[in-house]
């Protein structure tokens, strides 16, 4: 089985870390490749960034289809292009926000999301609502750390730990969801220090996509997620 993990931003060091975190949880016989689009924003922390990343994400899906990829993970917490990707891919496509929030709902009554910039909070709430998980989402908390600084800021881990502790208390929640793929490598350490489940969407989405393939399941070809109607594109 081959899973393609697409980091929608173009920071390749982050893509490498995301790939390592995905491979660490993949089962035997599963090949995990991590890629970024060839062009696009180096980080995704606005609606504009999110929209600008989508053509690159879809190009990677189309390439994956030509190569026979079995399932895809969209490894950005805004789940950019997720629904369009489901129209294009034959196999399942799992976004890290959806996978993380669904996984959190198995493990407690309410979760708190710890994210990067304040401006990503509204979109995160929208996603929780659109996945039917608004009832489980107790709070979304920004650390103020820009995505690219997650890799370089020596204070980032401590800030995420402190925000998680404060969120558990303020929200009365029992599970933490990490709101950025760039936090994937911090998950195990946070979980052992916090003593509650901490969900990294990269790991959750990788295992979930593998599970769907093992179950012989794919996106329904009937209705909304059927391949998009073939049509001419002008201006290329
Ligand atoms: C993200 C993410 O997961 N990757 C990225 O570039 N931005 N999410 C976020 N909330 O900032």
């Amino acid at each position: 089985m081959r899973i393609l993990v697409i980091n929608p931003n173009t920071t390749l060091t982050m893509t490498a870390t995301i790939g390592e975190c995905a491979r660490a949880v993949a089962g035997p016989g599963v090949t995990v490749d991590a890629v970024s689009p060839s062009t696009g924003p180096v980080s995704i922390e606005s609606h504009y960034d999110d929209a600008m990343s989508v053509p690159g994400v879809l190009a990677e899906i189309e390439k994956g289809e030509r190569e026979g990829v079995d399932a895809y993970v969209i490894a950005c917490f805004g789940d950019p292009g997720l629904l369009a990707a489901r129209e294009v891919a034959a196999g399942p496509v799992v976004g890290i926000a959806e996978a993380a929030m669904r996984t959190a709902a198995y493990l407690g009554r309410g979760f708190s999301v710890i994210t990067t910039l304040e401006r990503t909070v509204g979109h995160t709430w929208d996603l929780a609502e659109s996945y039917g998980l608004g009832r489980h989402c107790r709070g979304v908390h920004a650390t103020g750390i820009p995505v690219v600084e997650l890799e370089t800021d020596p204070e980032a881990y401590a800030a995420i730990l402190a925000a998680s502790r404060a969120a558990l208390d303020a929200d009365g929640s029992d599970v933490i969801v990490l709101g950025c793929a760039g936090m994937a490598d911090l998950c195990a350490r946070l979980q052992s220090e916090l003593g509650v489940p901490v969900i990294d969407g990269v790991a959750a989405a990788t295992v979930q996509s593998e599970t769907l393939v093992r179950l012989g399941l794919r996106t329904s070809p009937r209705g909304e997620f059927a391949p998009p109607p073939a049509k001419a594109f002008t201006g290329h």
Side-chain angles (χ1 to χ4, degrees), residues 7 9 14 43-45 75-78 96 115-116 120 147 179-182:
N7 172 18
N9 79 41
M14 193 170 288
S43 63
I44 297 165
E45 46 202 10
C76 169
F77 207 80
I96 66 167
T115 184
T116 53
T120 68
V147 173
C180 181

Side-chain angles (χ1 to χ4, degrees), residues 49-72:
D49 295 343
D50 193 277
M52 293 301 276
S53 75
V54 172
V57 169
L58 295 177
E60 294 305 321
I61 302 256
E62 284 168 335
K63 195 165 150 218
E65 289 301 282
R66 292 192 292 274
E67 294 171 359
V69 168
D70 296 292
Y72 300 86

Side-chain angles (χ1 to χ4, degrees), residues 101-102 105 109-113 124-140:
M101 291 184 197
R102 292 201 190 287
R109 175 60 70 179
F111 60 81
S112 299
V113 181
T124 302
W125 275 111
D126 285 349
L127 289 178
E129 294 288 346
S130 78
Y131 298 142
L133 292 165
R135 210 159 68 86
H136 293 269
C137 185
R138 294 259 174 93
V140 182

